[in-house]
Amino acid sequence: MNEILSINNVSKRYGHVKALNNVSLQINKGEIYGILGPNGSGKTTTLGIILGALNPDMGSYSWNGNRPTKFDRKKIGSLLETPNFYPYLSARQNLSIACKIKGVSENEVDRVLTKLDLLYRADSKFKTFSLGMKQRLAIASALLGNPETLVLDEPSNGLDPQGIADIRNVILDLANQGKTIIMASHILDEVEKICTHVAILKLGNLLTYGPIESVLNNQAKVVVSSENIVLLERVLAQIDGVSHVRKNGDKLSLILATGKDGAYLNKALFEEGIVVSEISIQKSDLESNFLELIK
Amino acid sequence: MLKLLKIEYKKIIPYSTFWVIFGLFFFFTPFFFYGLGQIKLDSFPIDFTAIYHFPEVWNNITYIASWFNLLIGMLLVILVCNEFSFKTFRQHVIDGQSKSDFILSKILLSSSFSFLTTFYLFLIVGILGFVSGSDGSFLTDIKYLLIYFVQSLGYMSLGLIIAIVIRSSALAIIMFTFSIFFESVLSYLVPDAIAQFLPLEIISNLTPVPTPKGIQVAVLVDAIPLNTSLMIAGIYILAFWGISFLTLSYKDVK
């Protein structure tokens, strides 16, 4: 079986704030899955739940088709929200504790420190590290034991441009080894450059998900106008494949599902008795699609 | 289990607070105990050096050391709160420890602290007792060491539950100290029959105030026999551990 992670109808509240609303997602082996969304959309909550730190109010999840246990987590390299280490211990001492918990050989410590370019500071206390070094140490810790699955929450947080490029290469390198990576990010560019798949969250709702090109690229943004714009808006809402209809001056913009084109839309409108005065398909780009989706 | 304890010591051996607090305990316990034996009162001819003699020495030293048990209790509070403030508890969970592993680690750590301090008292008594040339039997009343062990575990189990509920170091230490005062006051407000069963009352009375030889003391009515006290203390300790686990398992790991 190919399925690594399955999230089924998971919901989570903090007081009266709905952090996650009935989210379901399947992630298969070898996919680099980006969880994309603005701040406060539920990315970290999702990762916290699949890593056993947060209890979902409803729903369930499974790793490799089984009920989750601590033994699954030992085999997953994870970074959740912030780098968490003992400030008074050195990088090496901190990683050696992580090795003991995960049950991997302590020889791994030097390997991961080298990979993240931290070996020269191996014996410095964690509290003397800069923000970027702390982040790199957290990623080094996630690599202990060379896990087949990685869960990384905003991996490039706090890094300078060079650091971001380095981390990106580390992740791409892991991806080339066939590992499964689940990565939360609010940076579209990062997801676009690294991920094969993407899920978009907004205010706890899963808006869309799938292979990155079908989610972000293939949906065409269309602008239409007609004499009776109120009627046009009402009719558009009933046409299959049309979503995100929005008023834009005296025109309406919308997103047309994959596989549908302007001719399809024009025909559908004509059948409803609407004569279109303007219809134009705007060349889609990732960013505008994304912004449109999370509007 | 041994693996969990090893991880705990990996965390604390480089931690200076651990050494400072144990240093205080290791220094002040014999310092006070020795000093007490050197007291000379002109108007009151008691030979205080008798506190070093067997078998009373066991009761005497465990009573003195019981005051310093609070220090070790505070150390445990700090160590547990650190796991929350450094968020290392959360990291351990996502790295593959369960919440019960976490509680078990802290129980093992507490037990090892109790063992260390108890063994230390055994060494002091061995040295002081023999140096002062006691005539009593060495093993008589050595049961006080067991009692002391349970008592120190008792204070640490209280520390554990307070740390897990409160999570912030400063506040938890204040609550830990305050709970002792609070219970002393409470024990005056409720009938004695109930007061004597309050957890800290049970735990602190495990090492009773020694009655020096040669002083006629009003015989205090000791309502609860020692064995019963030990048993009740054991139940409290288990309850504190159990509640700590339940508290942790229902909460999100933040």
Side-chain angles (χ1 to χ4, degrees):
Chain A
M1 199 164 85
N2 250 349
E3 185 179 278
I4 296 285
L5 171 69
S6 165
I7 302 174
N8 310 304
N9 307 104
V10 165
S11 294
K12 173 79 180 169
R13 279 174 172 283
Y14 299 117
H16 52 262
V17 178
K18 213 158 198 179
L20 273 187
N21 187 15
N22 205 21
V23 168
S24 298
L25 196 63
Q26 266 68 42
I27 293 173
N28 297 318
K29 189 166 169 48
E31 289 175 352
I32 314 299
Y33 223 111
I35 298 182
L36 193 59
N39 295 326
S41 57
K43 302 184 298 286
T44 298
T45 301
T46 307
L47 299 189
I49 287 172
I50 62 174
L51 292 173
L54 304 176
N55 307 319
D57 297 334
M58 274 189 298
S60 63
Y61 65 97
S62 62
W63 287 104
N64 300 308
N66 301 314
R67 237 184 95 241
T69 67
K70 65 175 180 177
F71 301 105
D72 299 308
R73 300 201 295 274
K74 283 179 203 280
K75 291 189 210 118
I76 298 168
S78 33
L79 157 63
L80 188 59
E81 211 167 16
T82 47
N84 308 319
F85 295 101
Y86 298 93
Y88 57 86
L89 294 182
S90 70
R92 184 175 269 132
Q93 286 167 329
N94 270 305
L95 290 189
S96 127
I97 289 172
C99 282
K100 277 260 183 297
I101 291 173
K102 288 174 165 283
V104 306
S105 157
E106 298 209 22
N107 296 334
E108 282 287 288
V109 173
D110 277 20
R111 183 185 72 86
V112 298
L113 284 176
T114 310
K115 195 157 182 78
L116 271 297
D117 198 21
L118 280 172
L119 196 62
Y120 74 111
R121 289 293 296 273
D123 296 310
S124 307
K125 289 190 161 89
F126 176 68
K127 65 180 168 200
T128 66
F129 278 24
S130 71
L131 194 59
M133 289 166 76
K134 287 177 176 172
Q135 186 73 8
R136 265 155 49 210
L137 186 63
I139 293 168
S141 182
L143 298 183
L144 288 171
N146 199 15
E148 283 306 305
T149 308
L150 289 114
V151 177
L152 305 171
D153 188 6
E154 315 236 347
S156 57
N157 217 3
L159 297 172
D160 55 25
Q162 181 61 50
I164 293 175
D166 290 348
I167 292 301
R168 194 167 286 164
N169 286 334
V170 168
I171 296 175
L172 284 173
D173 183 35
L174 292 166
N176 289 336
Q177 295 169 35
K179 299 193 186 295
T180 309
I181 302 172
I182 302 158
M183 187 179 101
S185 179
H186 62 267
I187 306 165
L188 180 66
D189 180 56
E190 182 171 88
V191 171
E192 183 200 351
K193 290 204 167 107
I194 298 177
C195 298
T196 60
H197 289 67
V198 65
I200 295 176
L201 279 175
K202 186 198 167 191
L203 293 172
N205 293 298
L206 184 61
L207 296 183
T208 178
Y209 61 92
I212 195 155
E213 58 281 4
S214 73
V215 171
L216 291 172
N217 266 340
N218 285 358
Q219 290 172 313
K221 187 178 173 185
V222 183
V223 175
V224 280
S225 64
S226 174
E227 267 178 14
N228 188 343
I229 200 150
V230 181
L231 180 67
L232 177 65
E233 187 168 7
R234 189 160 358 112
V235 170
L236 276 176
Q238 287 156 15
I239 295 176
D240 186 36
V242 170
S243 63
H244 297 82
V245 180
R246 227 165 241 111
K247 212 170 211 148
N248 199 351
D250 59 345
K251 294 168 185 170
L252 291 176
S253 75
L254 58 96
I255 288 182
L256 204 51
T258 315
K260 313 266 196 252
D261 56 12
Y264 161 83
L265 186 65
N266 201 0
K267 184 162 172 277
L269 285 171
F270 191 75
E271 280 167 5
E272 295 292 331
I274 293 180
V275 180
V276 175
S277 58
E278 183 196 331
I279 182 162
S280 67
I281 302 216
Q282 303 198 333
K283 197 155 166 57
S284 74
D285 74 282
L286 240 55
E287 188 150 15
S288 63
N289 266 340
F290 173 59
L291 291 174
E292 195 64 36
L293 277 167
I294 62 166
K295 229 177 224 169
Chain B
M1 292 238 289
L2 198 63
K3 194 183 143 200
L4 290 178
L5 191 60
K6 269 189 188 159
I7 294 176
E8 289 303 302
Y9 275 89
K10 261 180 176 289
K11 296 177 196 170
I12 63 173
I13 284 177
Y15 188 43
S16 53
T17 308
F18 163 72
W19 292 101
V20 170
I21 292 184
F22 261 88
L24 288 174
F25 179 88
F26 284 160
F27 175 73
F28 278 111
T29 306
F31 181 76
F32 267 69
F33 185 59
Y34 181 75
L36 210 61
Q38 302 304 310
I39 295 176
K40 290 187 177 61
L41 298 173
D42 294 338
S43 56
F44 214 57
I46 314 170
D47 179 14
F48 271 91
T49 59
I51 65 164
Y52 309 145
H53 290 175
F54 287 102
E56 295 83 15
V57 63
W58 295 114
N59 186 186
N60 298 333
I61 195 151
T62 50
Y63 176 71
I64 299 286
S66 73
W67 290 98
F68 296 104
N69 261 341
L70 295 176
L71 271 181
I72 308 294
M74 282 180 196
L75 174 62
L76 193 86
V77 171
I78 295 170
L79 292 176
V80 175
C81 287
N82 277 352
E83 303 276 18
F84 296 117
S85 56
F86 301 154
K87 291 194 171 180
T88 41
F89 166 51
R90 176 153 103 164
Q91 192 61 41
H92 292 351
V93 169
I94 68 175
D95 279 346
Q97 266 196 354
S98 61
K99 291 171 177 175
S100 49
D101 286 337
F102 181 78
I103 295 287
L104 185 59
S105 299
K106 300 309 170 197
I107 290 174
L108 290 169
L109 188 67
S110 313
S111 309
S112 74
F113 284 175
S114 294
F115 179 79
L116 273 175
T117 52
T118 307
F119 183 71
Y120 183 64
L121 296 191
F122 175 78
L123 288 181
I124 298 176
V125 170
I127 295 164
L128 267 179
F130 284 115
V131 165
S132 71
S134 82
D135 48 1
S137 155
F138 183 66
L139 292 176
T140 315
D141 280 351
I142 202 169
K143 66 168 187 236
Y144 277 104
L145 280 188
L146 170 71
I147 293 164
Y148 175 80
F149 181 86
V150 173
Q151 185 192 48
S152 113
L153 209 52
Y155 281 122
M156 278 188 277
S157 60
L158 176 72
L160 178 66
I161 194 168
I162 289 178
I164 282 181
V165 170
I166 296 182
R167 294 186 172 210
S168 128
S169 245
L171 205 55
I173 288 177
I174 291 170
M175 285 305 290
F176 181 65
T177 321
F178 186 75
S179 64
I180 292 159
F181 288 113
F182 178 75
E183 212 197 83
S184 324
V185 175
L186 189 67
S187 67
Y188 288 109
L189 299 179
V190 298
D192 277 356
I194 298 172
Q196 62 184 353
F197 288 105
L198 290 174
L200 287 171
E201 202 73 8
I202 286 280
I203 291 170
S204 75
N205 284 344
L206 283 175
T207 52
V209 185
T211 47
K213 265 184 185 169
I215 309 177
Q216 205 64 18
V217 229
V219 178
L220 295 165
V221 186
D222 200 358
I224 311 176
L226 190 62
N227 284 345
T228 317
S229 283
L230 265 181
M231 211 179 70
I232 300 174
I235 292 171
Y236 273 126
I237 291 171
L238 290 177
F240 286 160
W241 289 347
I243 298 169
S244 300
F245 173 67
L246 290 178
T247 310
L248 207 57
S249 52
Y250 287 121
K251 275 193 185 173
D252 283 337
V253 181
K254 289 218 180 92

